[in-house]
Amino acid sequence: MLNRHEEADRTVDINQAAVGIAREALGGRGFVLGDIGPFGGLMEPYGEIAHGDVELAFREQARALVDAGADAIIIETQTALEELEIAIAAAKEAGAPAVIGSIAFDKMVDVDDVRTMMGVSRNTQRNLW
């Protein structure tokens, strides 16, 4: 997402500053969760973004958050399991003490189900660990 604003070269600085600001605001009380949101585009074969580019971006962000002292990483509002898997792997590789993953679902109009924009149903089963 920072690339869209020509700020990708500041990924580490921005994420580390965010952890520092949150830690200071807490004054030693509570936990700081580093946040990894959706990549902001569609990976191949659905879009033009290479799998490796998503891996590199998530690794860089996860490493910056862990190195800055985040107590955990939350990976939020994902719509594709493949992207969530990449982010979890990046957080684990970076040494995050805890990882929380969330997926964004929408209620279907015609059927009693919820799905992500990528078609992932609440009934989809996958071992992400």
Side-chain angles (χ1 to χ4, degrees):
M1 292 299 288
L2 289 174
N3 195 40
R4 288 185 184 176
H5 304 283
E6 299 179 5
E7 298 289 345
D9 59 327
R10 297 184 60 219
T11 298
V12 171
D13 293 337
I14 290 169
N15 281 274
Q16 290 185 339
V19 171
I21 291 167
R23 180 82 54 217
E24 184 179 335
L26 286 170
R29 303 176 316 269
F31 297 98
V32 173
L33 302 182
D35 184 337
I36 296 177
F39 185 79
L42 295 177
M43 283 191 303
E44 295 174 339
Y46 305 107
E48 298 178 0
I49 301 169
H51 186 274
D53 291 342
V54 177
E55 285 180 335
L56 288 174
F58 283 163
R59 280 183 180 144
E60 180 180 32
Q61 186 177 12
R63 172 60 52 207
L65 293 167
V66 170
D67 286 352
D71 296 303
I73 291 180
I74 183 166
I75 303 157
E76 44 84 11
T77 57
Q78 298 294 309
T79 60
L81 287 177
E82 296 81 8
E83 192 170 323
L84 179 59
E85 288 173 330
I86 293 168
I88 289 172
K92 289 172 58 178
E93 181 182 302
V99 180
I100 303 162
S102 74
I103 298 176
F105 291 98
D106 292 315
K107 174 80 172 104
M108 303 282 72
V109 175
D110 298 339
V111 294
D112 183 25
D113 195 9
V114 293
R115 295 189 184 172
T116 71
M117 69 177 226
M118 297 303 294
V120 177
S121 169
R122 67 178 164 202
N123 298 319
T124 302
Q125 303 231 345
R126 199 160 184 172
N127 183 1
L128 299 178
W129 289 98

